[in-house]
Amino acid sequence: ISTSSVTVNQTSYAMAPGVTVTYHDWVLSTSAIATGMPVKLSLHGGNVTHIKILSDPNLPAGDSVTGTISSISGQTVSIAGYTLSMDPTAIVKYHDFVLSVSQVPTGVEATAHLNNQGVVVKIKLKTDPHLPSGHSLEGTLGAITANNITVGSYTLPMISGVETTWDGQAYSASLQPGWTVRVHLNTQGQVVQVKILSGPSASNSSSSQDN
């Protein structure tokens, strides 16, 4: 196939101006047609006006595909055996969290939604080992660094200036592993508040309030 002709079953046909190429609901460019693809031609005056691709190993049959993400970048995502182009403004979500492409783990189940050019415009993660399913999480406090906090099995990023409270009051002393806490996350999955449920002694609590 070229911009001027296409050969099907050893017969060459001239291409009319503005030939449309479709696959299911996709509207594609002629460059999407690979040698060996089964197609159906529509002719007018002996010239090809429409090429319908009957099967395409590079595109799913519907406007979405569900499966395991094996790789992802700002340009492409490989899911369920397909490697699909990503729209630069594609939205990635996990429950109510809106994530960046760099936050998407590989090996997770997801659904990718495509526009009518076969380009991914939205990815909805079904699982994410790094994030809880809701905007709050209660559990045992683990490791704490300047940028991350571990609660239960999740290690979560923190915003600068996280609000920490104990017994309804601001708490400024150091957090200690083993305490029970509830953390609240923003829509990007970052911890914005830590509420201590149990752990500090009465003297620690009173000294922090005095400060």
Side-chain angles (χ1 to χ4, degrees), residues 23-24 26 28 32 55-62 82 84 114 117-119:
Y23 173 64
H24 292 278
W26 315 132
L28 309 174
S55 66
D56 187 340
N58 300 314
L59 282 175
Y82 299 101
L84 305 167
L114 295 82
Q117 282 81 47
V119 176

Side-chain angles (χ1 to χ4, degrees), residues 2-155:
S2 68
T3 56
S4 59
S5 67
V6 58
T7 301
V8 177
N9 295 333
Q10 300 183 336
T11 301
S12 293
Y13 302 88
M15 302 274 272
V19 172
T20 57
V21 179
T22 61
Y23 173 64
H24 292 278
D25 293 331
W26 315 132
V27 179
L28 309 174
S29 65
T30 54
S31 62
I33 304 175
T35 301
M37 277 185 176
V39 298
K40 180 179 180 181
L41 305 181
S42 297
L43 305 173
H44 181 73
N47 294 331
V48 177
T49 58
H50 177 212
I51 301 175
K52 182 178 182 180
I53 301 173
L54 302 180
S55 66
D56 187 340
N58 300 314
L59 282 175
D63 59 2
S64 67
V65 57
T66 298
T68 301
I69 293 178
S70 56
S71 68
I72 186 168
S73 69
Q75 291 75 44
T76 62
V77 57
S78 294
I79 178 172
Y82 299 101
T83 298
L84 305 167
S85 296
M86 290 268 287
D87 188 279
T89 62
I91 297 171
V92 181
K93 295 192 72 175
Y94 174 63
H95 292 278
D96 291 330
F97 298 117
V98 179
L99 310 177
S100 65
V101 170
S102 63
Q103 289 178 285
V104 179
T106 57
V108 299
E109 290 291 306
T111 296
H113 297 270
L114 295 82
N115 63 15
N116 63 357
Q117 282 81 47
V119 176
V120 175
V121 293
K122 181 179 179 180
I123 296 176
K124 187 172 183 179
L125 303 181
K126 295 183 177 297
T127 59
D128 188 332
H130 303 131
L131 282 174
S133 59
H135 285 287
S136 65
L137 172 68
E138 183 175 321
T140 301
L141 190 61
I144 307 161
T145 68
N147 302 311
N148 297 287
I149 183 171
T150 298
V151 179
S153 60
Y154 298 100
T155 298

Side-chain angles (χ1 to χ4, degrees), residues 130-183:
H130 303 131
L131 282 174
S133 59
H135 285 287
S136 65
L137 172 68
E138 183 175 321
T140 301
L141 190 61
I144 307 161
T145 68
N147 302 311
N148 297 287
I149 183 171
T150 298
V151 179
S153 60
Y154 298 100
T155 298
L156 304 165
M158 297 189 293
I159 65 166
S160 177
V162 169
E163 177 188 0
T164 304
T165 63
W166 160 242
D167 198 23
Q169 302 292 325
Y171 188 86
S172 59
S174 298
L175 297 172
Q176 300 298 322
W179 291 356
T180 302
V181 298
R182 180 183 297 120
V183 296

